[in-house]
Amino acid sequence: MWYHVEIEDHSIISCRIIGKFRLNGQKLTNPVAVGDEVEFEMEQDGKGIIKKILPRKNYVVRQSPRKKHYLHLLASNVDQAILIMTIRNPNLKQGFIDRFLLMTEPYNIPTTIVFNKADLLEEDDLLMFEYLKDIYEDIGYPVFKVSAIEGEGIEKLREHLANKISLIGGQSGVGKSTLINAVLPGIDLRTDDISDYTGKGQHTTTFAEMFQLPGGGQIIDTPGIKTLAFSHLEPKDITHNFREIFVASEHCKFSNCSHRNEPKCAVKEGVEEGTISELRYANYLQLMDDTEGQNYWERHKDM
Ligand SMILES: Nc1nc2c(ncn2[C@@H]2O[C@H](COP(=O)(O)OP(=O)(O)OP(=O)(O)O)[C@@H](O)[C@H]2O)c(=O)[nH]1
Ligand SMILES: [Mg+2]
Ligand SMILES: [Zn+2]
């Protein structure tokens, strides 16, 4: 595996890395990620060997899709994340938003949700967009509507990206690379029609790559994410990273309230009163169940 390391004069050195690397004691499928700062030594052949990864300001990590007990590092040292979603083509998978936010909340990485392919939206789809926009903007995540093909919203997105390091993430086929092409004309990233939107289709972008914005800042294109699973998380990580649920939990009767069946639960009250979105709460319960289920089998795997 070769990593492209950019040096001060902006030239690129191909580097390898030797040894095993861990993150908080957990095994990683990839020792370095886009956005990492590294120290390396030059070899005689003009290639380098990475000797050290500098401390990370933050990182975005998930369970490896191939190896359950490994983590996959998506990117490090980012200023913000931009989650690209679609309502049509591929059809909306709303649960993906809250799963994605579980990767960015632990480090408080500001996240914007961008609905692409606005040109395909019909009346009902626009209502769905407004519904989700209200929910997420209410809890502090900006929500945009853009069309990479027709140019709607691209200037606003470009301004939003200026002078920042932005991770662009989302499922395959939502138009991440097409959007980067629209924001940065001339870089001409490969994009493709994906015949099979169920997720079995080929990913067009196969590795994460960082691009310079002309006025300053960087943008990171990443391969499409099929599913997001979190066997490395515990129920308390879910509780802490649904931000409005965490804020409300201060007023629950029990300090270790799981916000499911406990009496005098401020979160359940919030859902009833409408200050906490029912959709978010349903997703929260689902993720709590998932994590507990996983951990159950984890604890009993030797049986
Ligand atoms: N109608 C419409 N189609 C779009 C838009 N943006 C992208 N597409 C199309 O969606 C398809 C997938 O676009 P890509 O940019 O390759 O998607 P991606 O998210 O980078 O996919 P991966 O690299 O596999 O993760 C292409 O056929 C694009 O032309 C848009 O705003 N409107
Ligand atoms: Mg792509
Ligand atoms: Zn509670």
Side-chain angles (χ1 to χ4, degrees):
M1 182 75 194
W2 292 94
Y3 297 95
H4 296 166
V5 178
E6 186 177 316
I7 59 174
E8 268 163 26
D9 68 4
H10 297 302
S11 58
I12 305 286
I13 310 287
S14 288
C15 293
R16 283 176 299 144
I17 189 162
I18 295 170
K20 289 208 164 72
F21 291 81
R22 282 171 179 263
L23 190 70
N24 303 330
Q26 299 209 53
K27 290 180 227 151
L28 283 168
T29 53
N30 55 329
V32 281
V34 64
D36 267 327
E37 291 185 278
V38 300
E39 286 174 6
F40 67 91
E41 274 173 18
M42 283 296 269
E43 301 274 89
Q44 272 154 0
D45 59 3
K47 307 211 155 131
I49 296 189
I50 295 171
K51 295 284 171 175
K52 189 176 170 191
I53 301 165
L54 301 188
R56 296 175 172 121
K57 173 176 98 170
N58 60 35
Y59 49 80
V60 179
V61 74
R62 64 160 167 166
Q63 176 192 324
S64 161
R66 285 179 208 89
K67 295 181 179 172
K68 188 167 178 241
H69 299 288
Y70 282 67
L71 296 180
H72 170 225
L73 198 54
L74 270 81
S76 309
N77 303 316
V78 301
D79 294 323
Q80 64 175 346
I82 312 289
L83 166 60
I84 312 298
M85 295 288 297
T86 50
I87 291 174
R88 290 290 158 218
N89 214 6
N91 283 349
L92 176 68
K93 263 175 92 178
Q94 67 78 19
F96 193 84
I97 301 176
D98 290 332
R99 287 175 180 266
F100 189 89
L101 293 174
L102 279 185
M103 297 195 294
T104 57
E105 279 301 288
Y107 277 100
N108 294 317
I109 297 169
T111 301
T112 299
I113 305 163
V114 172
F115 285 89
N116 186 32
K117 310 201 185 185
D119 53 289
L120 301 181
L121 302 187
E122 294 182 9
E123 222 167 296
D124 285 357
D125 305 325
L126 287 168
L127 290 176
M128 175 56 77
F129 167 75
E130 293 297 336
Y131 167 71
L132 293 170
K133 181 178 163 80
D134 284 350
I135 291 176
Y136 287 95
E137 290 204 328
D138 214 42
I139 50 175
Y141 303 104
V143 178
F144 294 0
K145 177 159 69 66
V146 306
S147 167
I149 298 282
E150 293 188 343
E152 175 187 339
I154 297 302
E155 190 49 45
K156 184 175 165 201
L157 181 62
R158 198 180 277 131
E159 282 165 22
H160 195 71
L161 299 171
N163 300 311
K164 292 196 176 121
I165 302 176
S166 305
L167 164 74
I168 311 293
Q171 295 183 285
S172 204
V174 294
K176 298 179 293 299
S177 302
T178 312
L179 268 173
I180 295 177
N181 284 337
V183 168
L184 271 177
I187 57 164
D188 218 6
L189 295 180
R190 208 164 89 79
T191 63
D192 215 345
D193 284 327
I194 291 175
S195 51
D196 180 3
Y197 281 127
T198 56
K200 294 191 204 88
Q202 204 69 35
H203 293 292
T204 306
T205 303
T206 52
F207 57 91
E209 200 173 354
M210 187 180 245
F211 303 95
Q212 299 285 336
L213 293 168
Q218 276 107 7
I219 185 166
I220 300 168
D221 191 16
T222 61
I225 299 170
K226 266 184 209 162
T227 52
L228 283 174
F230 298 100
S231 66
H232 58 295
L233 297 186
E234 297 174 24
K236 78 166 166 40
D237 297 312
I238 312 295
T239 313
H240 288 192
N241 291 306
F242 271 73
R243 50 169 70 165
E244 76 283 33
I245 288 180
F246 185 64
V247 169
S249 69
E250 199 195 319
H251 304 287
C252 293
K253 178 170 182 196
F254 300 108
S255 62
N256 63 347
C257 187
S258 74
H259 321 307
R260 282 185 287 205
N261 302 310
E262 294 90 340
K264 301 224 163 106
C265 168
V267 172
K268 278 195 296 176
E269 282 164 18
V271 176
E272 273 155 34
E273 286 161 10
T275 52
I276 291 177
S277 136
E278 278 177 32
L279 182 76
R280 285 271 292 173
Y281 182 62
N283 290 342
Y284 164 82
L285 293 177
Q286 176 69 56
L287 280 159
M288 286 292 272
D289 284 353
D290 286 4
T291 341
E292 286 185 346
Q294 280 167 350
N295 291 348
Y296 177 85
W297 292 112
E298 207 60 17
R299 283 194 301 275
H300 295 80
K301 68 171 182 264
D302 297 328
M303 285 170 70

